[in-house]
Amino acid sequence: MKLPRLEILSKDEIYDIHNASMEVLEDVGVKIDVVEAREILGKAGAEVSNKTNMVKIPEYLVREGLKKAPSQFTLYGREEKFKLRVGGDSLTFTFSPTPVKIIDSETGKIRETTLKDVENKYRLIDALKYINTSHTDVWAHDVPFTTIHAYEVLTWAKNTIKCFGIGPYGVLASQDMIRMVSMVVGDEEELIKKPRIIGFYNPVSPLQTSDIVMRGMMIFNRYKQPMIIAPEAQAGSTAPTTLAGLLVQQNAEILSSLVLCELVSPGTPVLYGTVSTITDMRTGNIALGSIETGLIYVASAQMAKFYRLPSRALAGTSESMLVDIQAGFEKALTLFMAAAARINYITCAGTIESSITTNMELIMIDEELVGIIRRSLEGIEVNENTLAVDVIKEVGASGSFLSHKHTLKNFQKEQYIPFLIDRNRREAWEKRGSKSIVDVAREKWQKILEEHQPEPLDKDVEKQLTDYLEMVKKRTLDDYFKAEGIERKPTGLPNLP
């Protein structure tokens, strides 16, 4: 049988978390600074205070929102032939979004990520087998930050047929991304019919929202692009120190945003997501690689299933500064727990240092790790063929199964065949250069980039995208502020596109 779904909450505990979350939403509410969002929620029946910007959401609105949200959806790539079913028992692994630093493979030094790194990541992930799709792969520091979103779309379209994921960075940038991806797939109607963009929105814990990103989210909603709602609550600082308390708060944050999404555009796919973890009490830092993070993922998967929503988690995470043993066991534990809990959409590949630093070798190592975990979930198949009684009788007490036709027929299905892990004896390993797994991974990704050619983008479409990018380049920062209704740059402004 297959490996059973990993669970840690009883049915009664799930109901307890749900009921506690409803109490929080009805008695405390969430702080929403976007006037349009408050108006939409108020007209639907929420209690709105325009003085404090707090919105109290009754349980019936949550139930109505959940009825409208699909339990499964299909996400398409640049080419329609590439598609992923998300929800139910499906399992998708993708790159961890938006690291801002990279360990350079040539120098071994940390440096800022560039547009060339963005291109390399998309091309590499296009060629991989187990990492199904990609998000905004890296943050390009060598182009104006007001144009990064447009460069991302163009670079994605030129270098992979897999899906595209990005944060809805405000009104103007979100409109740009909708228009550019619509150019790639034909028109806006095609984009609505077969979504290509998966957005990710992070509520601000505790019980707040990001106004600029929320406005962008509402634009994505209107075009029915799937939206990941994933709080980044930290137990002990931005959430209660108890994991059950964190789950209550996280649940309230997710469900309040889901209600808005479904009011803006009923039937919009919403993923029950999490980037929540603990605060390390010795340092005050985030601890994405902690075992508690894995526990939160398992519980989140159960809450998503309870609400009949597809789920998402940021797993395969580590606080290590190096591609070392700490990175290995932290990534393996959190990734396995998320996968065993059957999180549907796992952003997991290629980062360390709390997901702010990437490394090309690490992407290849994570590809190997994902392959191993996929095999573990398949469990052990028991039937007449796999019991192999006739084969055991035929080989007898002193024979060998190595060359038997049963072995040749079944070993590739029964065993995961690694492409990085070295299982040779020491002498053979030394003859091959005494290479570490990082050395082998470096050779693998460099060979892939030398040999792999993504399916070419139509030249007319590429020109449309390039022309649009040139238009974006001419904007000023004030154009973005104006679109948000902001007259001057406020303090604490989150990253704009």
Side-chain angles (χ1 to χ4, degrees), residues 145-367:
F145 80 100
T146 53
T147 65
I148 287 176
H149 65 287
Y151 273 110
E152 281 282 353
V153 176
L154 176 60
T155 309
W156 159 73
K158 290 172 63 176
N159 291 283
T160 181
I161 67 167
K162 294 184 177 181
C163 312
F164 179 64
I166 197 165
Y169 302 123
V171 172
L172 206 51
S174 296
Q175 290 173 341
D176 288 340
M177 291 184 283
I178 292 291
R179 290 166 183 160
M180 292 180 76
V181 177
S182 295
M183 292 174 187
V184 174
V185 303
D187 55 35
E188 291 181 356
E189 288 185 6
E190 175 66 14
L191 181 62
I192 294 171
K193 182 181 176 183
K194 296 178 179 177
R196 264 71 173 194
I197 308 173
I198 186 165
F200 46 93
Y201 168 67
N202 305 118
V204 180
S205 299
L207 301 174
Q208 302 174 78
T209 58
S210 171
D211 53 345
I212 289 177
V213 184
M214 176 169 276
R215 291 189 189 96
M217 180 184 77
M218 293 167 70
I219 290 173
F220 276 33
N221 294 161
R222 293 186 179 104
Y223 289 88
K224 291 195 182 298
Q225 301 305 291
M227 183 60 58
I228 296 166
I229 300 174
E232 298 184 15
Q234 297 179 43
S237 57
T238 62
T241 193
T242 54
L243 298 190
L246 178 145
L247 292 170
V248 169
Q249 178 185 298
Q250 170 184 269
N251 197 45
E253 291 166 346
I254 293 170
L255 294 177
S256 60
S257 295
L258 177 142
V259 169
L260 177 61
C261 289
E262 298 307 326
L263 288 171
V264 171
S265 185
T268 294
V270 171
L271 289 86
Y272 188 106
T274 181
V275 193
S276 298
T277 182
I278 61 168
T279 304
D280 181 83
M281 289 301 174
R282 293 184 303 174
T283 64
N285 294 329
I286 194 170
L288 284 171
S290 66
I291 193 63
E292 292 82 7
T293 303
L295 295 173
I296 292 167
Y297 293 165
V298 177
S300 297
Q302 289 185 258
M303 297 306 299
K305 185 181 179 185
F306 172 69
Y307 293 122
R308 300 185 72 253
L309 293 172
S311 55
R312 177 266 188 178
L314 173 66
T317 45
S318 174
E319 271 60 60
S320 178
M321 307 298 164
L322 304 170
V323 185
D324 62 1
I325 292 176
Q326 178 185 334
F329 69 70
E330 287 183 334
K331 289 168 74 66
L333 281 170
T334 57
L335 184 55
F336 178 78
M337 292 182 78
R342 302 307 193 271
I343 293 282
N344 298 125
Y345 195 91
I346 303 175
T347 47
C348 63
T351 63
I352 51 174
E353 198 180 350
S354 303
S355 291
I356 67 173
T357 299
T358 188
N359 175 251
M360 297 293 280
E361 290 79 12
L362 194 55
I363 295 176
M364 300 305 299
I365 294 170
D366 285 346
E367 168 81 349

Side-chain angles (χ1 to χ4, degrees), residues 8-20 302-303 306:
I8 58 174
L9 299 176
S10 68
K11 289 183 179 180
D12 287 344
E13 289 168 339
I14 290 172
Y15 278 110
D16 287 344
I17 291 169
H18 167 78
N19 290 332
Q302 289 185 258
M303 297 306 299
F306 172 69

Side-chain angles (χ1 to χ4, degrees), residues 16-85:
D16 287 344
I17 291 169
H18 167 78
N19 290 332
S21 300
M22 295 305 100
E23 184 176 345
V24 169
L25 285 177
E26 292 181 345
D27 293 351
V28 181
V30 292
K31 187 172 186 287
I32 299 177
D33 294 327
V34 177
V35 175
E36 182 185 2
R38 292 201 305 273
E39 290 176 347
I40 291 171
L41 288 162
K43 287 178 181 178
E47 181 184 329
V48 176
S49 169
N50 289 321
K51 182 178 180 180
T52 63
N53 293 351
M54 293 298 293
V55 179
K56 297 179 180 180
I57 300 174
E59 184 171 357
Y60 76 85
L61 279 185
V62 174
R63 294 187 181 277
E64 288 178 5
L66 289 168
K67 288 179 183 178
K68 297 171 186 175
S71 59
Q72 299 185 46
F73 65 92
T74 300
L75 180 65
Y76 293 83
R78 189 195 78 188
E79 305 296 330
E80 185 179 325
K81 64 184 178 182
F82 184 90
K83 57 185 178 181
L84 299 169
R85 193 67 181 165

